[in-house]
Amino acid sequence: MPAMHARHLLLALILLVYLLLATLYAVNVPAWQAPDEPAHFNYIHELATTGQIPVLRAGDYDEAYNRALTSQRFPPELSIAPLRYEAHQPPLYYLLGAAIFRVSAGELLPLRLLSVALGALLIAIIYAIVRLIFPGRAELALGAAAFTAFLPMHVAQAASVNNDALTELLLAAILLLAIRYLRLALLGPRPPSRWDALAIGLLLGLALVTKVSAYVAIPVALAAPLIAWHESRRSPIHHSPINHSSFTNSPINHSPFTNSPINHLLLIASPALLLALPWYLRNARLYGNLDILA
């Protein structure tokens, strides 16, 4: 069997086993007994039934009531409706969840399976990232994919209703494109184009409207053209600190990316701002005091 086919078969096997395990979690973990699942579900419920994005209000996080629910394992006589403390989150994941909610008449399992599917895509991207950094080390890529797929707490979290699965997927995709951008800039076969920069910016914007803490991707996205520009200005003898045996098996290209990073920085920042700015302005208006993250 050719090596490439064997790698793809092993990756498919990892994904298949992950899907089986995550689905078992999704089916067998009792309703709401996953971290913050009721609050995420309530966001989806409100968006799907009213068409309005929830607004975070004082009292939405009631520690005493939350403790009573969790200590008693969510008995049916205690409603989960008051748990609204995720109402400050950006809406992208919940818009996807609302579509599933409407189709499935509000069933919990299909929403959990949405997270399972997103988790499978994450594993594939983790594999692609490691293959890009270590093109001659397929076992490392398969190991990274397997570690992601079979870490028990991660599988459990990926089988529940929350916005982490989509956030992780987008953050991993941004990292993949940033590494690809840098590799093109330093090694060819062509310099990174404006479309490469725009793709990073679009994913960054989507991440910013998926989870409050996704702003951690901003320096990763902006670093790619800055590092490429910095490395291109170094003399050939000190051209790159990158280990040839990992990033590439061929000598470093001595006709590297030499463009100013300004245009590409703007191409990354512009779509991210266009996507995220309406959300931030909405929060600043609702919550006051320039509280763009609610």
Side-chain angles (χ1 to χ4, degrees), residues 11 30 35 98 153 294:
L11 178 61
M153 190 60 208

Side-chain angles (χ1 to χ4, degrees), residues 92-110:
L92 184 58
Y93 163 77
Y94 304 99
L95 288 168
L96 296 177
I100 301 294
F101 184 98
R102 293 188 188 104
V103 171
S104 64
E107 291 293 324
L108 178 63
L109 181 57

Side-chain angles (χ1 to χ4, degrees), residues 88-90 163 167 207-208 210-216 279-280 293-294:
H88 66 292
Q89 294 286 0
N163 58 355
T167 307
L208 292 175
T210 298
K211 191 175 178 70
V212 168
S213 56
Y215 56 75
V216 297
W279 174 252
Y280 293 149
L293 300 181

Side-chain angles (χ1 to χ4, degrees), residues 53-68:
I53 294 171
V55 175
L56 187 67
R57 300 182 181 90
D60 279 347
Y61 185 81
D62 185 334
E63 175 64 29
Y65 190 72
N66 194 40
R67 192 182 302 115

Side-chain angles (χ1 to χ4, degrees), residues 4 24 42 46 48 50 104 121 126 155 157 162 167 173 179 182 185 190 198 212 219 232 248 261 269 280 282 293:
M4 184 172 68
L24 286 171
N42 286 335
E46 185 168 343
T50 70
S104 64
L121 294 175
I126 294 294
V155 180
Q157 188 73 357
N162 63 73
T167 307
I179 294 170
L182 187 57
R190 61 170 179 83
L198 274 172
V212 168
S232 72
T248 181
Y280 293 149
R282 174 253 190 197
L293 300 181

